[in-house]
Amino acid sequence: MIWSIAWKNIWRSRIRSLIVVAAFTVGIFAGDFTVGLVVGVMENRVNETIYKEASHIQIHHPKYIENSEIRFTVDNYTNLIDSLLKLNEVKAVSPRIKIVAMAANGGKTSGIIINGINPENEKNVTDIYKTISEKGGTFFGLNEPNQVVIGEKLAKDLKLAYFTISDNTFEIIKNSISDEIVLKKLRTILNEVFRSEKEFENNLKRLLNKEEQAKYLYLIKKESIQYKIKKKLILTFHTYSADLYQGAFKVAGVFHTSNSMFDQMNVFVIDTFIRRQAAIPDDKVHEIALVLKKGVDEENTAKKIMASYSNLDIKTWKQLMPEVGYMAEWLDFYLYFIMGIILLALGFGIINTMLMAILERTKEIGMLMAIGMNKKRVFMMIMLETVMLSLVGAVIGMLISYPVLVYTHQYGIHFPQFAEGFEKMGYSSSVYPSYDLKIFFQTTILVIITGILASVYPARKALKLNPADAVRSE
Amino acid sequence: MFEYLKLAWRNIWRNKRRTLITIASVFFAMFFALVMRSLQVGTYDYMIKSVLENYIGYIQIHKIGYTEDPVIDSSFNFSEEIIQKISNDKNVKAVIPRLESFALASFKENSKGVMILGIDPEKEKLLTKPDKKIIEGRYLQNQNEVIIADKLAEYFGVRPRDTIAFISQGYHGASSSGLFVVAGIIGIPNPELSKTLIYMPLHACQNFFQAENQLTSLVININDNKLLNQTLESIKKKIDPEQFEVLSYEESSPELIQQIKSDEGSGFIMLGVLYMIVGFGVFGTIMMMMAERRREFGVMMAVGMQKLRLTLLVVTEMILMALTGIAAGVIGGLSVVYYLSKHPIRFTGEMAKTYENLGWDPVMPAIVDARVFIFQSIVVLLIFFIAIIYPVYSLNKLKEINALKA
C-alpha cells in the first residue's frame, strides 16, 4: 500500500522527482570521482616506487643496507634465484651488482651507484627501459661491452645534456604552443646552444613574462633538451680486491623516471662486464630484486622467503622506502578529510532540497493525515520515495562516473606546469584516477547513506504538520 | 525600482520558512566553501612556513655566482655594516650569518660526505630554532663542538660526547682537518638533510675551513610573509648588486613553490567538486521553491502582471536572499575559521604518527585571509546566479492557465 503510494507520488510530480534524482546523481558523481582521484594518486605513486625503483622485495647481505660496501654480497646467488623462481608468487627476479662510485665528465663529478644488470632480464623487473625517450638513445643498444645508461638529472649535472631550440624542436613546440608572441620570442634564440639548464632557463626567463613562463617553461625545457649519446663517462670505484679502478664508459641511453633523486643516483651497466672490471667472484651479487605476481601480498611472501633464508636481509618496498608509505598515508588522510567536507555539503544540500519539497507538499500531506493516515506511515512514505529516487540517482550517477573514470584512467589528467615540483618529490605530474570496483561501490553506498540520512530530518518535519492547518494552506 | 524592492521585501517575509530554507542553502554553500578553502590555504601556508623555518629562510643573500656554483670559494667578507643596513627594515625579523660547505666525516671505520653548516648559535634560534629540536645531548655551547642530524648519527652510530673527525678542502684550496666533540643530536624532518647535516659554531667553522671572517650566506627571517616582495626590493636597493645576489625563497628553491602548487592542483579539483555540490544544493532548493509558488505566480499573471516584471520581482527576492545567505555564511565561516586558526585541529593516534614520520607537527591549521573571503563570496554569488538561470527561465515559460490549476 505505502509502496504503491510512494511510487505513484514519484510519477505524479515529475519535475520534483527529477530534481531529487539529479541531486543524488551529482552527489554520486562527485563522490566517485573524488575517491577515484585520491586512490589513483596513491596507486600511481606506489606503482612508480615498485616498478621503477624498489620492486616488491629486495634481498641483500645483512650489513649491505647500512653500509653499501662491495664486500657485503649475497653468495651462491644462482641457486637462490632458481629456488625463488620456483615460488608461485614470484613473477621475475633480477640479480644486481651494486657499486658506490664516482662519475666524472670534464671537470664535473657526482657520487653515484653503479647497477650491474642483465639488460634483457632487467626488463622483466623494472620499467626503466620504458622511460628512455626517442632522443634519449637506447637501453644498451650499442655494440660495446662498456656501455652505460644514466638518468636525466645526472646527464644534466655532468654536462652530458645541453639545451637548444633547433629547427626540429621548434616545429614540435609549435604544435603545442599556439601563442604567436611566445613563438616569435623563441625564434630569437633559434639554434643557439646552451650548455646548462640554468643558462637556458635564465635566457627563457629574460624573454618570457611570468605568465608565459608558468605556462610554457617546462614544456620548452622538456622539448629542447639534447643528450650527448655515445659520449664517454669516467667511472671511478674501489674493486672487490680493494684496488682503485678507473674506466671509460659510453653513454648508450638516458632514462627519466618521475623521481629526479633516483635519476641522479643510479647508472646501469652490463653485469658481465662490470663483474670482470670490479673483480667480483662469479657467484656473488649485492642485490636481488623480486617482482611478484598481481594481487600477491608482499609481506607474506617476504616472510616465506625469510623462513628459508634467515641469514639474508629480506625487505619489502615499504621497509626500503618508508617515506613513500608515510606520504601516501598522509595524502590519503588529507583527501578523505576534504571528501568528508564534500559529503557534509552534499548532505546539507539534500536537506534543503527535501525541506522545500515537503513545504511544497504541505497541503497534500495534510490531506493524507486528515483522511486517517498515521504519522508512521507518512514518514515511511516519504522515506520510501527518497530511497527510490536515491537509487535511480545512484544508477545514473554510476553510469556517468564510471566511463569518466575509465576515460581519465586511460588518458590521465595532466598538470605539465607542475611537473618539476612533482618530480622533485618523486611524484608523477599526471593523475590517473582509479576505477577499482570495490572502492567505487563503497563510495556510492556511502553517498546514498549520506543522502538518505539527510532526508530523515525533512521527513520528520512533515510529521509535525497540523492536519487542520496543512489542508488550508495554498 | 523601489516598488520591486518593497514587493520583494514583503514576499520574503510572507513565508518565513521558505525564505529561511533558501537562505540556508546559500549559507551552507558559503560556509563550506570558506571553511574548506581556509583549511587548504592554511595547510599550504603552514607547510611553506615549516620548510622555510627548517632550513632555507625567507630571503637569502649570497655572493654573485654562489647559486650556480655553491663552493666555499664563493664566500664573502662578513661586515656588520651590511647586517645593520638590512636590519633597519621594519619587516626584517633577523639577519642570520652562515658558512656552509662539504667535508668528509669519519667515525671509527665509517666515513661519509657531510654538509657542515656554520651557524651563530644565538642568532640561529631566531629562525630554525635548532635548540628546540635537540633529541639527545644538548645545544652548542663551546667552540669545538658540533651537533649532528639524527639519521647521520644513526649511520655513524655516534652518541653525545663522542669525537668525530672532519677532512675537507678549505678556502682557496687550503687543506683542513679537525676533531670535534658531538654535543647533541638534532631531529631534522627532511630525510635528505637528515642524512648529511652537521651544525658547527660559526667561528669554529671559519677556522676549520680557514675562511677567517667569511660567510657563504646571510639568511633573513621576516615578520610578514605578505610583504615579502617589498622587503626584497628594499634590501636589493641597500646592497651592491655587482657583488651580491638577493633571492627570495621562491627563487632560491623554486621546487618548493612547485610542490605547494602541485598540491594546490588537487586542492582545486576538490574545490571544484565542492562548488558543483553546493551549486546543486542551491539549484534544487530554488527549483522546489519555484514549484511551490507556481499557483501564486499564476494568480499574479492572471491579474495582469507582465512576465518580465514578475521575473524581475523574483530575481530581486532571490538576490536579497542570496546576499543575506552570503553574509550569514561569512559570519558563520569566519567564526569557525577564526576558531580553527587559534585552535588548529590536532591529530592523535595513527594520524599523528604519520605526521611525525614526515617531520610535521600533527596539526591542520586554518588561515584567516581576507582574500579567501572575498574570492569565495564572489564565487558563491556566481554559483548562485548560474543556479537560478534555469528556474528563472522556466518561469518565463509558465502558462497562466496551467499555473492556476497547480
Side-chain angles (χ1 to χ4, degrees), chain A residues 15-16 19-20 22-23 26-27 29-30 33-34 37-38 66-67 198 202 261 323 326-327 329-331 333-335 337-338 341-342 344-346 348-349 352-353 355-357 359-360 413 415 417-422 424-425 461 465 474, chain B residues 15 17-18 21-22 24-25 28 32 35-36 39-40 43-44 47 67-68 110 155 191-192 255 258-259 261-263 265-266 269-270 273-274 276-278 280-281 284-285 287-289 291-292 295-296 345 347 351 354-355 357-358 360 364:
Chain A
I15 291 199
R16 188 175 63 211
I19 294 167
V20 178
V26 171
F29 174 75
F33 187 73
T34 318
L37 199 72
V38 174
E66 214 176 293
N67 192 345
K198 190 99 195 170
N202 286 343
M261 193 90 75
E323 64 278 7
Y326 299 145
M327 198 68 205
E329 272 171 42
W330 177 76
L331 194 66
F333 167 79
Y334 174 69
L335 294 181
F337 187 85
I338 298 292
I341 296 186
I342 288 176
L344 259 179
L346 172 74
F348 279 106
N352 270 310
T353 310
L355 270 178
M356 263 313 184
L359 196 62
E360 190 211 355
I413 305 172
F415 301 99
Q417 64 271 44
F418 301 143
E420 230 173 328
F422 269 113
K424 285 248 163 67
M425 290 166 82
K461 268 272 178 227
L465 292 175
E474 274 180 45
Chain B
N15 191 333
R17 253 190 79 196
R18 190 172 63 207
I21 297 171
T22 314
S25 75
F28 285 123
F32 283 115
V35 171
M36 180 150 138
L39 275 173
Q40 280 182 345
T43 305
Y44 301 140
M47 284 174 135
T67 34
E68 297 261 314
N110 290 333
Y155 173 82
E192 289 313 309
E255 70 273 23
Q258 286 221 324
Q259 213 179 84
K261 270 192 195 158
S262 61
D263 258 7
S266 62
I269 295 183
M270 298 281 166
V273 172
L274 181 76
M276 197 166 85
I277 298 255
V278 294
F280 230 84
T285 311
M287 274 306 277
M288 289 291 182
M289 183 185 91
E292 194 214 351
R295 198 182 149 86
E296 175 194 332
I345 301 170
F347 304 116
M351 214 46 238
T354 303
Y355 267 79
N357 284 331
L358 287 163
W360 300 337
M364 185 182 272

Side-chain angles (χ1 to χ4, degrees), chain A residues 75-296:
Chain A
D75 300 346
N76 262 328
Y77 79 95
T78 39
N79 290 345
L80 175 59
I81 283 179
D82 285 342
S83 59
L84 285 175
L85 282 172
K86 276 185 197 127
L87 291 174
N88 275 332
E89 294 91 340
V90 177
K91 194 183 137 215
V93 174
S94 171
R96 296 176 189 146
I97 290 169
K98 295 198 104 170
I99 305 170
V100 178
M102 187 79 99
N105 175 45
K108 299 274 168 187
T109 58
S110 183
I112 51 137
I113 295 167
I114 298 174
N115 291 267
I117 51 147
N118 176 329
E120 280 318 302
N121 188 37
E122 187 66 28
K123 284 182 186 172
N124 300 324
V125 177
T126 55
D127 287 342
I128 299 286
Y129 72 99
K130 285 187 188 159
T131 68
I132 297 179
S133 72
E134 254 169 62
K135 54 191 173 190
T138 55
F139 193 67
F140 297 101
L142 301 181
N143 241 337
E144 282 135 293
N146 61 338
Q147 38 184 324
V148 58
V149 173
I150 65 172
E152 186 185 272
K153 181 74 172 67
L154 186 69
K156 281 184 199 165
D157 286 355
L158 295 186
K159 301 264 148 89
L160 285 167
Y162 59 96
F163 291 82
T164 182
I165 302 180
S166 63
D167 295 320
N168 265 341
T169 314
F170 190 78
E171 286 305 310
I172 298 169
I173 292 176
K174 227 164 103 182
N175 289 334
S176 347
I177 301 178
S178 50
D179 192 333
E180 272 303 321
I181 302 165
V182 174
L183 289 174
K184 205 171 155 194
K185 285 177 185 171
L186 291 181
R187 219 170 258 136
T188 60
I189 52 168
L190 201 63
N191 288 324
E192 215 173 303
V193 174
F194 302 94
R195 292 195 52 225
S196 78
E197 184 172 14
K198 190 99 195 170
E199 194 188 334
F200 186 53
E201 207 175 294
N202 286 343
N203 268 284
L204 287 177
K205 280 187 177 158
R206 191 171 46 80
L207 287 173
L208 308 177
N209 63 36
K210 279 227 158 124
E211 208 177 297
E212 292 162 346
Q213 283 173 30
K215 262 188 181 163
Y216 305 123
L217 198 63
Y218 179 79
L219 179 100
I220 297 170
K221 264 163 48 180
K222 194 179 126 209
E223 296 299 344
S224 308
I225 191 165
Q226 298 293 338
Y227 308 105
K228 296 180 179 169
I229 305 294
K230 292 190 185 166
K231 184 113 191 317
K232 268 185 201 153
L233 179 70
I234 309 293
L235 298 181
T236 313
F237 54 85
H238 285 282
T239 65
Y240 194 77
S241 45
D243 298 322
L244 195 67
Y245 170 90
Q246 192 165 54
F249 287 73
K250 260 191 184 174
V251 176
V254 178
F255 66 88
H256 181 197
T257 69
S258 54
N259 183 350
S260 52
M261 193 90 75
F262 180 84
D263 292 3
Q264 187 181 21
M265 282 303 294
N266 287 278
V267 308
F268 292 86
V269 298
I270 296 172
D271 52 358
T272 47
F273 181 73
I274 195 78
R275 186 183 290 282
R276 227 178 318 124
Q277 307 305 316
I280 297 170
D282 276 346
D283 66 330
K284 295 180 197 297
V285 286
H286 297 99
E287 177 175 288
I288 297 177
L290 282 83
V291 169
L292 305 181
K293 284 180 186 146
K294 245 194 168 149
V296 176

Side-chain angles (χ1 to χ4, degrees), chain A residues 153 313 376 383 397 465:
Chain A
K153 181 74 172 67
D313 178 36
K376 198 178 145 203
M383 288 311 290
L465 292 175

Side-chain angles (χ1 to χ4, degrees), chain B residues 197-215:
Chain B
L197 197 59
I198 284 185
Y199 286 91
M200 197 184 268
L202 185 60
H203 284 293
C205 189
Q206 287 169 336
N207 284 336
F208 173 72
F209 286 110
Q210 303 184 21
E212 215 46 59
N213 220 15
Q214 295 287 105
L215 298 178

